[in-house]
Amino acid sequence: MLETFFNLEVLLRAWPLLAEGLWLTLKLGALSIVLGWLGGLALALLGLYGPRYLRGVVRLYVDAFRAVPVLVLLIVVYYALPFVGLSLSAFASAVLALAAVSSAYTAEILRAGIEAVPRGQVEAGQVLGLKFWQILRLIVLPQALRLVIPPLTGNSINVLKDTALASVVALPDLLKQATQAQALEANPSPLIAAALIYLVLLLPLVALVRRLEGRLGKGL
Amino acid sequence: MSSVALRLTGAQKAFGAEALFSDLDLTLYAGRHLCILGPSGAGKSSLLRCLVGLETLDQGSVTLGEPGAALGLVFQDFRLFPHLSTIDNVTLALRHGQGFSVEDAAQRGREALARVGMAGQEAKAPGALSGGQRQRVAIARALALSPAVLLFDEPTSALDPERTAGLGAVLAELASAGMALLTVTHDLTFARRSAQELALLAHGRLTAPLPPEAFFSTAAPEVVQDFLSHDAPHKEAPSL
């Protein structure tokens, strides 16, 4: 049993591959998460304060990218875009797909957070002679961000998990390296190890969200 | 005669088809405290919001005694910034709106807080303050910008009688320092004790300001006597 699923010899040999894969997963995850935040913030602000026609476009984007499965989007980006002359590397395709979806969720989360800040806070800033952007930056966003840290962290966890989908476009991430090592060794230990690495990586984040949500719940 | 701090002329404001007030004139003088009374929904708060520019008048104009002078408003619910400390609440506009350095803003902020009896509370979060203390921070936040005119919306609604007296003392100090004060309130006792002049906003009209003795006497216009006897029957005739 241990021989089959947790073979130390196999694991030792597979470790360099897994480590490489983990590093790529982390890079892919971090880049997609940060781009998702930035895109989400831009979308949220445009959706709330932009010109009317742009608000409609933002609404459409947010709904569409929350509806489409990340895997489908990824495959479209990687395999279909080359037909219109846009050939992206596996890494770039994965970042694009993950960040596009994440920005849609982030935009929705931020919009809710911004709208939860009482209107009176904006008026207090206006009476003090502050400009729109100052009110947004100094008064509204700091309060909104506090409210949405738990859902924002939750969304980032999802992005990190979804990086595993990149293995279908042959990106050598943690999952891909593990399946390759498994094939090479004819032993599933590397896959078990990969699953455990995902768990170790994400479990603390999940626990963090639970704690943040508990604290916020008490604070309200 | 003290100098004019703010003059509102021919003001008109409607919500939908219904006129809130029309043809309204109002003058505030430096160092004097005018109190506007009136039934709920008479447009008292809207009048304040128009004066500070949160709402626009349909007609009429606001002119300041000194061009470019600042106007402060203390909201009924204070509206402190909950994510900022007391001192940061007071200095936010100084630093980001007025271009003060951090040190200069902090200096001015501490002075403003001391003026309302809140020295030593700089580091506290608004959530850690009592209702009366929050109001003082809100006053300090407005004072930090050195306004020529300070407006108060229902300032006593969250205060017990003792704190109301404390607020009266703060307002008296501000007026004696030359600030023009305008409060709108339901609180007849507070109005009678702390304002130099009272006016009634009812049925879209503002009565001419009268000193308290005249306002609460049979010499007052009929609409005022009506308001005092019918619209505020739960209030005892306030004593001085």
Side-chain angles (χ1 to χ4, degrees), chain A residues 119-130 134 137-140 142-143 146, chain B residues 49 52 54 71-73 75 79-84 92-93 96-97 141-142 145:
Chain A
R119 171 88 201 137
Q121 291 284 304
V122 175
E123 291 186 349
Q126 286 175 317
V127 168
L128 291 173
L130 295 172
Q134 293 175 320
R137 183 167 60 83
L138 302 166
I139 298 170
V140 177
Q143 295 185 56
R146 256 171 225 213
Chain B
R49 293 170 62 83
V52 294
L54 287 176
L71 245 70
L73 169 62
F75 292 97
R79 300 186 184 179
L80 296 182
F81 305 126
H83 61 300
L84 298 178
L92 186 75
H96 299 278
R141 183 171 70 177
L145 296 173

Side-chain angles (χ1 to χ4, degrees), chain B residues 40-77:
Chain B
S40 299
K44 302 191 298 295
S45 293
S46 287
L47 178 61
L48 294 188
R49 293 170 62 83
C50 287
L51 287 176
V52 294
L54 287 176
E55 282 171 35
T56 48
L57 288 166
D58 300 333
Q59 269 179 49
S61 63
V62 181
T63 36
L64 294 168
E66 303 227 348
L71 245 70
L73 169 62
V74 178
F75 292 97
Q76 181 175 8
D77 53 357

Side-chain angles (χ1 to χ4, degrees), chain A residues 27-167:
Chain A
K27 272 198 295 190
L28 176 61
L31 192 58
S32 305
I33 287 169
V34 170
L35 287 178
W37 284 345
L38 295 177
L41 179 61
L43 286 168
L45 295 181
L46 278 175
L48 283 169
Y49 308 114
R52 190 173 292 273
Y53 69 94
L54 264 181
R55 282 185 236 173
V57 173
V58 166
R59 168 104 287 182
L60 215 64
Y61 175 96
V62 167
D63 286 353
F65 280 85
R66 286 195 304 162
V68 78
V70 184
L71 182 56
V72 173
L73 184 63
L74 177 58
I75 289 176
V76 166
V77 168
Y78 188 67
Y79 292 106
L81 284 190
F83 287 92
V84 293
L86 195 62
S87 235
L88 294 176
S89 70
F91 186 78
S93 300
V95 169
L96 183 63
L98 288 169
V101 171
S102 174
S103 65
Y105 281 99
T106 304
E108 222 18 41
I109 292 168
L110 285 175
R111 183 191 59 75
I114 289 170
E115 284 183 340
V117 176
R119 171 88 201 137
Q121 291 284 304
V122 175
E123 291 186 349
Q126 286 175 317
V127 168
L128 291 173
L130 295 172
K131 303 273 181 292
F132 171 80
W133 285 109
Q134 293 175 320
I135 292 171
L136 196 61
R137 183 167 60 83
L138 302 166
I139 298 170
V140 177
L141 281 180
Q143 295 185 56
L145 285 177
R146 256 171 225 213
L147 291 171
V148 301
I149 284 173
L152 222 48
T153 313
N155 181 55
S156 301
I157 290 172
N158 284 336
V159 175
L160 207 50
K161 280 161 67 176
D162 285 345
T163 54
L165 295 170
S167 56

Side-chain angles (χ1 to χ4, degrees), chain A residues 164-199:
Chain A
L165 295 170
S167 56
V168 301
V169 293
L171 192 73
D173 73 326
L174 179 56
L175 178 61
K176 184 73 182 171
Q177 297 286 36
T179 51
Q180 263 172 356
Q182 182 208 344
L184 215 63
E185 302 279 353
N187 180 293
S189 294
L191 272 181
I192 303 295
L196 286 176
I197 292 174
Y198 279 116
L199 198 65

Side-chain angles (χ1 to χ4, degrees), chain B residues 36-40 42 44 185-188 199-203 215-216 221-235:
Chain B
I36 295 181
L37 291 156
S40 299
K44 302 191 298 295
T185 183
H186 283 100
D187 190 335
L188 298 181
L200 175 72
L201 180 60
H203 316 301
F215 190 84
F216 288 101
E222 205 169 319
V223 62
V224 172
Q225 297 188 40
D226 256 17
F227 167 73
L228 292 176
S229 59
H230 295 112
D231 291 295
H234 54 288
K235 294 276 182 190

